[in-house]
Amino acid sequence: MAEHRSHRSILSLKSWLFTPARKADRFGRATVDNVKVYYMHAEEDLKRSLLRDELMGRIKPYCTFMQEAERDLTKKGREDGNRKVVYYVPTSFSQSVRFFTENIHVDTFLVTVSPMDRNGYFTFGTNNDHTSTAERSAKRLIVEVNGHMPRVYDSSALHLSEVDSIVENDAPLLTLTERPIQEHERKLGQRIAGLIPQHACLQIAVGGVPSGVCEALMDHKDLGVHTEVLNPALARLIQSGVITNRLKKINPGKAVFTFAIGDAAFYDFLHDNLAIESHPVNYVNDPAVIAQNDTVVSVNSTIEMDLTGACNSEYVNGH
């Protein structure tokens, strides 16, 4: 990006593991201005660096998933004369690939990758989602090579020839530490697991109840995985032999995911694991793809459910 204040740019930050502190310093000095930043999850690093109220205006945050950082910024904007701060992008996760490749023209794409192999290939590691396709439509691709990022196979490879700039970082990846399963979550998990037949293909989210479900599935056989998020609870089922993926109709023998989060041991499990496949979200979350597997069971949490079974997972207290 250019160094003068009049520059207008669209920047996509991916993944949430990328550390943008140095870029925040340039915004603070007002050497970069009026930049649209597109991203999904604003974790702590992004909140502390780019998503600071004093930088708003020079930075225009366009997020596809509202969290604490955006709620805090929006509140400050309302208190300051209804100042526009956050630009929410209402798109489904599975449509994010299409959004980034067809709806906007990204100037610079930033992404964390695993170290390059001897043939010149990086991998997107924990984050495929829209990354593996959207980055190829950007004018400029900058990769942060991090030795902690696991090497993951299938639709996750990126060749050196596609990259414009490389930076190196050795910071630990963002981790999600599992908390102990509470007794009510264990009971719910047991009840849900009793509804899951043998040989089912699973999509399971993160949290206490999904972890309780996985704990209660240890007596099942030949389960499969085709899941948006891969997590330590599913990894334990793979390591124990409960999940074999051998009866899946598509991607047989492989646990399919589009993004993954866990602890250091989980990332070590992912690294160079030929039983794991990473694919873009427009493949993993496509109902037409999912429907090709038999006996698919999806376990997720939601905020509200009415008597018809309709779920609300986004709207809380008027927002």
Side-chain angles (χ1 to χ4, degrees):
M1 290 183 293
E3 290 283 348
H4 53 87
R5 282 180 56 87
S6 62
H7 181 72
R8 295 172 180 265
S9 181
I10 295 178
L11 171 70
S12 178
L13 283 180
K14 198 74 187 92
S15 67
W16 53 53
L17 310 177
F18 192 93
T19 305
R22 292 182 181 178
K23 186 61 66 182
D25 291 340
R26 291 177 60 194
F27 282 112
R29 296 193 305 270
T31 58
V32 180
D33 197 7
N34 199 20
V35 176
K36 296 178 180 179
V37 180
Y38 286 83
Y39 61 94
M40 297 188 70
H41 285 252
E43 302 301 327
E44 192 60 34
D45 282 344
L46 192 61
K47 182 180 178 181
R48 289 198 313 264
S49 54
L50 292 186
L51 298 183
R52 304 202 310 261
D53 186 58
E54 62 269 24
L55 299 181
M56 295 301 100
R58 289 197 284 275
I59 295 175
K60 294 180 179 178
Y62 284 74
C63 71
T64 61
F65 193 87
M66 296 283 285
Q67 295 193 116
E68 182 182 14
E70 292 79 25
R71 291 195 294 270
D72 290 347
L73 288 172
T74 301
K75 181 180 178 181
K76 291 177 181 177
R78 288 200 306 269
E79 293 170 349
D80 189 21
N82 285 324
R83 172 170 52 96
K84 181 69 173 178
V85 180
V86 174
Y87 299 80
Y88 173 58
V89 181
T91 182
S92 64
F93 194 18
S94 61
Q95 290 293 311
S96 60
V97 170
R98 190 175 170 195
F99 172 75
F100 279 103
T101 56
E102 298 180 16
N103 291 60
I104 64 172
H105 302 286
V106 177
D107 293 299
T108 303
F109 199 99
L110 310 179
V111 62
T112 301
V113 295
S114 64
M116 186 174 66
D117 67 12
R118 64 180 183 175
N119 296 308
Y121 285 94
F122 309 96
T123 79
F124 295 110
T126 58
N127 291 88
N128 196 315
D129 42 62
H130 65 263
T131 304
S132 62
T133 46
E135 54 85 14
R136 291 180 168 92
S137 68
K139 296 177 182 177
R140 184 184 297 107
L141 174 60
I142 301 173
V143 298
E144 178 189 69
V145 180
N146 190 323
H148 297 278
M149 179 64 83
R151 175 168 295 280
V152 179
Y153 296 102
D154 209 84
S155 305
S156 185
L158 175 72
H159 193 262
L160 176 63
S161 61
E162 302 178 80
V163 175
D164 294 292
S165 301
I166 297 174
V167 295
E168 294 185 343
N169 189 14
D170 194 44
L173 302 185
L174 175 74
T175 59
L176 179 66
T177 302
E178 290 184 290
R179 60 171 175 77
I181 301 172
Q182 299 181 41
E183 189 57 31
H184 73 281
E185 294 168 336
R186 178 167 283 111
K187 290 180 179 179
L188 280 170
Q190 292 168 350
R191 191 162 188 174
I192 294 168
L195 301 174
I196 298 176
Q198 301 289 346
H199 313 152
C201 183
L202 304 177
Q203 184 273 313
I204 293 187
V206 296
V209 172
S211 294
V213 172
C214 289
E215 180 185 78
L217 287 172
M218 282 297 178
D219 292 331
H220 278 59
K221 298 184 184 300
D222 287 323
L223 297 177
V225 171
H226 184 105
T227 186
E228 179 180 283
V229 57
L230 192 64
N231 54 61
L234 285 170
R236 286 191 289 272
L237 288 175
I238 296 172
Q239 291 169 313
S240 68
V242 173
I243 290 174
T244 64
N245 295 294
R246 72 181 186 89
L247 299 179
K248 289 172 62 180
K249 300 302 182 183
I250 56 172
N251 310 107
K254 308 292 184 178
V256 170
F257 77 98
T258 197
F259 76 95
I261 188 166
D263 54 16
F266 172 69
Y267 297 141
D268 185 61
F269 161 79
L270 290 182
H271 183 65
D272 279 336
N273 192 334
L274 293 177
I276 308 295
E277 283 190 355
S278 168
H279 291 272
V281 68
N282 60 341
Y283 175 84
V284 176
N285 284 20
D286 184 347
V289 173
I290 296 169
Q292 294 177 53
N293 282 308
D294 293 333
T295 321
V296 175
V297 177
S298 182
V299 180
N300 294 287
S301 59
T302 190
I303 296 170
E304 294 176 313
M305 179 182 289
D306 67 16
L307 294 176
T308 71
C311 296
N312 163 38
S313 299
E314 298 177 338
Y315 189 84
V316 183
N317 295 329
H319 294 281

